[in-house]
Amino acid sequence: MEALGLTPLDFVALAVLVFTAITMLWAPMVLQLSGPPWLLSHTEVGLFGIAGAVGAVGAAFAGNLADRGLAERVTGAGLVLMLIAWAPIALLDRSLFWLLLGVLIIDFALQGVHVSNQALLHLSGAGARGWLTAGYMLLYSAGSAIGSITSTLIFDAAGWLGVCVAGAMTGACALGFWLIMKRPGCVET
């Protein structure tokens, strides 16, 4: 990471923020969709996960771009898209279409950020790539837990709009942290 001016902790911290933000959507979504006015079954709510499978396309796309030296740009674009996705997600009370659109955007962007962030992490040339990946995955799981717990508490206190505001704020923190990571010394990879 010396050549990039970054440490593995920079990438891990970004992963924690990103996965906190994404699980702020998934965890309380079942609560919102299974209650009025939607009254969807758990199976029907689960179909939104299929829509999220579009993220696999995002992962492949990001991987190709990272291989061409554009991982940092993919990360930035993905973080912006993750933040923007909260606007249609917040419109769920108007139509399920808006939630579907937001899910497609946020999951596509998440996969891009995840793959490009790992590509940047592995540029360290460290011989302990397995340990780096294991630590990264462990702590992104911690971010997922943080997002799940906090979003259900927020949903209870402030409803769906509160969740969307908190998710967007977490996404904005991730984007802000990434901008700080781009300090002088960071180069395109």
Side-chain angles (χ1 to χ4, degrees):
M1 293 301 158
E2 296 303 321
L4 294 174
L6 300 171
T7 69
L9 286 178
D10 292 318
F11 298 105
V12 169
L14 183 60
V16 169
L17 287 168
V18 165
F19 282 93
T20 297
I22 191 73
T23 55
M24 291 185 110
L25 166 65
W26 292 114
M29 189 172 77
V30 140
L31 301 172
Q32 180 66 17
L33 292 176
S34 62
W38 305 111
L39 301 171
L40 299 180
S41 71
H42 285 27
T43 302
E44 291 168 323
V45 173
L47 292 174
F48 281 91
I50 293 171
V54 167
V57 175
F61 183 69
N64 288 334
L65 291 175
D67 290 344
R68 294 188 355 220
L70 300 171
E72 193 172 319
R73 290 182 187 172
V74 170
T75 300
L79 290 168
V80 168
L81 285 173
M82 285 184 73
L83 179 57
I84 290 170
W86 285 101
I89 290 167
L91 297 174
L92 172 59
D93 63 334
R94 297 199 173 113
S95 171
L96 288 174
F97 168 78
W98 293 114
L99 177 63
L100 178 61
L101 178 64
V103 165
L104 291 171
I105 294 168
I106 204 167
D107 200 59
F108 179 86
L110 165 74
Q111 296 300 328
V113 170
H114 182 49
V115 168
S116 60
N117 198 30
Q118 283 192 9
L120 291 168
L121 174 67
H122 287 283
L123 281 176
S124 68
R129 282 187 172 194
W131 285 104
L132 283 175
T133 301
Y136 176 91
M137 299 301 280
L138 174 71
L139 291 171
Y140 106 62
S141 295
S144 295
I146 293 165
S148 294
I149 293 166
T150 58
S151 64
T152 52
L153 293 172
I154 292 167
F155 182 82
D156 187 48
W160 185 250
L161 188 56
V163 167
C164 293
V165 168
M169 289 174 55
T170 306
C173 288
L175 179 59
F177 184 78
W178 176 78
L179 290 170
I180 292 168
M181 285 174 60
K182 286 184 54 70
R183 67 187 179 265
C186 295
V187 297
E188 198 60 42
T189 58

